[in-house]
Every structure is written in structure tokens, then in C-alpha cells.
Amino acid sequence: MASNPCSACKVLKSVCTGECIFAPYFPSTEPEKFDRVHRIFGAENVYKILNNETFSPLQREHAVKALNYEAEARIHDPVTGCYGMYLAYEKILNNLKEQIVSAKNEIVVTKRSDKVPQYSDTPMPEDFLMTQNHEDFLMTQNQQMGDNHGADEVSTSATPPASLGGTNDTQQTP
């Protein structure tokens, strides 16, 4: 009988012998490790995996690490487990890829900044700041839109004008 039983034997309340299949993978110093795996997969299923004769000790160690990882993921996210973690990391990776592409595009623009036209290089028309031309333009626009739809008039009708096929039963107030 071992003086310090493994965490699996402690949880299962059994005697830990020198031939215990759990002892090398679930030491007594890490009781939470077996507790997680036991809650998610059950002790019998873990025993079946570890007792598989085709597994080498290294493969058993990898299996215990995988079971522990999956059990921890299932405890944190019972629905998706490891797949949810995979999706989260995939999203982070895609965001980083987008940032890399954006940075590369910014570098290309910066390298060729002498070929990109600047706003200060664009000639400004002489009459751009003249207010009279702007007022003439607005008056022309109002005339083209028609007298019924001027900026100063308010329409109270909910139906389209008769010229557009609607019936105009209500009176419009100027």
C-alpha cells in the first residue's frame, strides 16, 4: 500500500496500490485534475482509456492531458467546450490577419505618398467662395423642382399630388 494515495483513489475511496493505473497521471498533489476529468467523463471511462493495452505510457500521458483540457473547457462552456475555444481563437486570428492586411495597405500608401494627390495641390475655382453664384444655383434648383415643393412651403397632405396619380382630398395651407 502506498503511503500517499493518488487523487483518483482518494475520490473513489479505494486503496491505491503500486499497480494503480491512475497514479502516474493523477498525483495526490493535483486533486482538482482528477476531479474535473471524473465529473465530465466519469472514472470508468478514464479507466478504460488508460487501461488500453495499445497505448504507450507517452500516449497515455497525452490522453490524460487531452481529457483534462477538454474537461476544463466543458466546465467553462458546457455547450461547445473545446470547439468554442477554437472558434474564439479563430476569430482572434482572422482579426489579426485583417490588421496585417490593413497595415500592409497603409505601408503601400505611405511609400507612394508622393504620387497621391494632396488637397492642397487641387486648384480651386475663382468663383467658389462667391455667395451670389450659390444663391443663383439654389434659385435655379427651386424652379426646377416646381412651385408646389419649394423650401418655404409645408405640405399637410399624406397622399401624393394629383399630378402623380394620387387623390388630393385635403386642402393644403400655405
Side-chain angles (χ1 to χ4, degrees), residues 3 10 16 29 39 55 83 96-97 99 113 146:
S3 64
K10 281 183 182 178
C16 190
T29 57
R39 273 193 300 171
F55 282 176
Y83 184 66
L96 290 173
K97 285 180 180 178
Q99 288 177 4
S113 63

Side-chain angles (χ1 to χ4, degrees), residues 2 5 16 21 57 67 77 82-83 98 108 112 120 143 159 174:
C16 190
I21 193 82
L67 288 170
D77 187 1
C82 284
Y83 184 66
E98 288 175 7
V108 168
R112 297 182 182 164
S120 60
Q143 289 174 355
T159 59

Side-chain angles (χ1 to χ4, degrees), residues 37-129:
V37 173
H38 174 62
R39 273 193 300 171
I40 302 299
F41 298 107
E44 187 175 342
N45 291 326
V46 176
Y47 177 78
K48 288 177 186 177
I49 291 170
L50 293 177
N51 204 29
N52 188 341
E53 293 177 5
T54 59
F55 282 176
S56 70
L58 183 63
Q59 289 174 321
R60 287 185 182 128
E61 186 178 339
H62 289 302
V64 168
K65 286 180 181 179
L67 288 170
N68 188 40
Y69 187 77
E70 176 67 31
E72 191 173 326
R74 285 281 170 193
I75 289 170
H76 290 300
D77 187 1
V79 176
T80 58
C82 284
Y83 184 66
M85 293 170 64
Y86 166 79
L87 292 176
Y89 287 130
E90 184 179 47
K91 184 178 179 180
I92 291 169
L93 181 64
N94 287 336
N95 286 339
L96 290 173
K97 285 180 180 178
E98 288 175 7
Q99 288 177 4
I100 289 170
V101 168
S102 176
K104 285 181 179 179
N105 289 338
E106 191 174 330
I107 289 171
V108 168
V109 169
T110 305
K111 281 186 173 180
R112 297 182 182 164
S113 63
D114 57 333
K115 296 179 183 177
V116 178
Q118 300 294 323
Y119 291 113
S120 60
D121 297 341
T122 308
M124 189 173 291
E126 292 178 20
D127 61 346
F128 181 73
L129 297 175

